Amino acid sequence: MAPPTLVMNRPNTVTAQDKSQVINLEAGESSQVSFADWEKFSFAPIRESTVSRAMTRRYFADMDKYTESDVVIVGAGSAGLSAAYVLAKNRPDLKIAIIEASVSPGGGCWLGGQLFSAMVLRKPAQLFLDEIEVAYEDEGDYVVVKHAALFMSTLMSKVLQFPNIKLFNATAVEDLITRRDESGELRIAGVVTNWTLVALNHDTQSCMDPNTINCNVVLSTTGHDGPFGAFSAKRMQSLRPKGTDNSFELGGMRGLDMNKAEDAIVKGTREVTPGLVIAGMELAEVDGSNRMGPTFGAMALSGVKAAESVLNVFDL
Ligand code: 48N
């Protein structure tokens, strides 16, 4: 059997002798790479330290660049990434850092619900799907994306391609940077971060001090309560405890009511304290609104509204 040929060519210019052996990748330039003889195949040479330098130089250059950011988004779930997309697209001048505790960003948005894969979004959230070019079936008052991972992977791919966005995953926000303005009002001025594994093991190690990122606005979209969830909401409660003037108390997420929950989350998305916007399911913990279960339109549109709230803080 003739050796396979990898043809990186435009579809209509397949030139292999036997089409059944062509792996046709739609490359920009028509080029033919032929692995005529796998026995002679080999990659270009490299030294291991070259790979390490290629990774670490870029990472530390990014840390240096984004340690002063305009916006920090905490949590790369559907609300945070939707907000990141809208912000980066409308404001290419802003430096946006996304801090995600998990190695794998995407939050709870890889499945439609209880391990089922189709994802439901109620109208008008399909407008956001149109914007990021995700196909769906139109069912009248709602639409269905054939797999939640199609939505999340498409959104993430678009967000990560913006030059003014940097995702720091496997990194946890473990505190907020605070300031007091002239009137003594608390203002959020950045985040305190650590490798997630360190943040999970502060009790098993001697103190491992964190890192910091200064910024103008923090958008917290860390989801509903959990080991890391509702982070900024819970931190604000401890910074402005019950009984003090201007205390920050949590309403606690209520039971499931799709119709009430989705409207409340989108309409309630806002700057909850100077310098801190909260969106997505984290907001349910602040306002005591209902949960919506396996519908995701509110996450996308809460992200859109959060982007507007962030820009309002910039007064732009
Ligand atoms: O997907 P989530 O959890 O949060 P949202 O608000 O983007 O979307 C919520 C949505 O998936 C639902 O819960 C659906 C609609 N169900 C509703 C219901 O009724 O049950 O993403 C939050 C992200 C996660 O990836 C976390 O790992 C991350 O935030 N995270 C953090 N990242 C950095 N530092 C932290 N302290 C932190 N805490 C959470």
Side-chain angles (χ1 to χ4, degrees):
M1 181 175 92
T5 305
L6 182 59
V7 177
M8 306 227 246
N9 227 335
R10 288 189 178 73
N12 58 1
T13 55
V14 167
T15 56
Q17 311 86 318
D18 173 345
K19 288 190 174 49
S20 66
Q21 294 170 333
V22 169
I23 306 166
N24 189 1
L25 302 177
E26 290 180 20
E29 292 306 311
S30 69
S31 61
Q32 179 144 355
V33 178
S34 167
F35 301 119
D37 179 351
W38 286 106
E39 293 311 310
K40 294 180 187 149
F41 172 83
S42 70
F43 281 102
I46 195 163
R47 187 164 173 75
E48 289 80 358
S49 60
T50 305
V51 175
S52 300
R53 284 183 172 139
M55 296 185 298
T56 51
R57 277 182 179 153
R58 286 167 175 79
Y59 192 88
F60 287 104
D62 282 332
M63 283 188 87
D64 182 74
K65 177 180 174 186
Y66 284 87
T67 194
E68 281 287 354
S69 291
D70 295 301
V71 183
V72 170
I73 297 176
V74 190
S78 44
L81 291 177
S82 300
Y85 174 87
V86 174
L87 275 172
K89 180 168 184 181
N90 288 280
R91 292 297 305 275
D93 58 310
L94 295 184
K95 260 196 297 180
I96 302 163
I98 304 175
I99 315 294
E100 167 53 52
S102 173
V103 170
S104 49
C109 198
W110 291 108
L111 288 166
Q114 196 191 315
L115 309 184
F116 306 133
S117 50
M119 173 191 240
V120 172
L121 295 93
R122 293 159 60 204
K123 289 182 177 178
Q126 85 288 355
L127 298 174
F128 188 74
L129 298 178
D130 294 339
E131 166 64 29
I132 62 172
E133 299 168 304
V134 168
Y136 51 80
E137 296 162 52
D138 192 326
E139 297 284 357
D141 288 337
Y142 65 93
V143 299
V144 183
V145 177
K146 67 178 180 179
H147 199 302
L150 174 62
F151 166 77
M152 181 39 74
S153 57
T154 306
L155 174 59
M156 198 183 305
S157 165
K158 293 196 181 262
V159 165
L160 294 179
Q161 290 178 56
F162 285 112
N164 58 323
I165 280 192
K166 173 65 186 177
L167 168 67
F168 294 95
N169 46 328
T171 304
V173 165
E174 57 179 33
D175 209 342
L176 298 171
I177 297 176
T178 59
R179 295 282 188 274
R180 292 277 174 188
D181 64 20
E182 307 77 57
S183 64
E185 167 87 62
L186 187 79
R187 175 176 189 85
I188 304 303
V191 294
V192 176
T193 63
N194 220 322
W195 304 122
T196 302
L197 290 179
V198 171
L200 291 171
N201 287 283
H202 278 310
D203 300 340
T204 62
Q205 299 281 338
S206 61
C207 179
M208 297 176 80
D209 272 333
N211 195 24
T212 59
I213 299 180
N214 286 104
C215 66
N216 299 52
V217 190
V218 173
L219 165 57
S220 196
T221 50
T222 59
H224 40 65
D225 201 355
F228 275 110
F231 173 79
S232 301
K234 292 185 290 191
R235 188 56 178 130
M236 280 309 302
Q237 186 181 41
S238 59
L239 289 172
R240 287 182 7 206
K242 201 171 180 176
T244 56
D245 59 334
N246 199 14
S247 64
F248 191 96
E249 295 180 54
L250 299 185
M253 181 177 74
R254 296 283 191 275
L256 197 148
D257 180 332
M258 281 187 185
N259 290 287
K260 282 177 67 180
E262 292 217 285
D263 290 350
I265 293 272
V266 174
K267 290 176 175 174
T269 295
R270 66 190 184 279
E271 184 183 26
V272 295
T273 199
L276 176 64
V277 175
I278 291 186
M281 284 312 289
E282 183 171 359
L283 190 68
E285 301 292 353
V286 177
D287 292 345
S289 46
N290 296 88
R291 62 186 302 187
M292 71 291 286
T295 57
F296 286 82
M299 297 304 105
L301 298 191
S302 174
V304 173
K305 185 149 187 280
E308 282 182 15
S309 305
V310 165
L311 293 182
N312 288 339
V313 174
F314 275 90
D315 285 334
L316 294 173

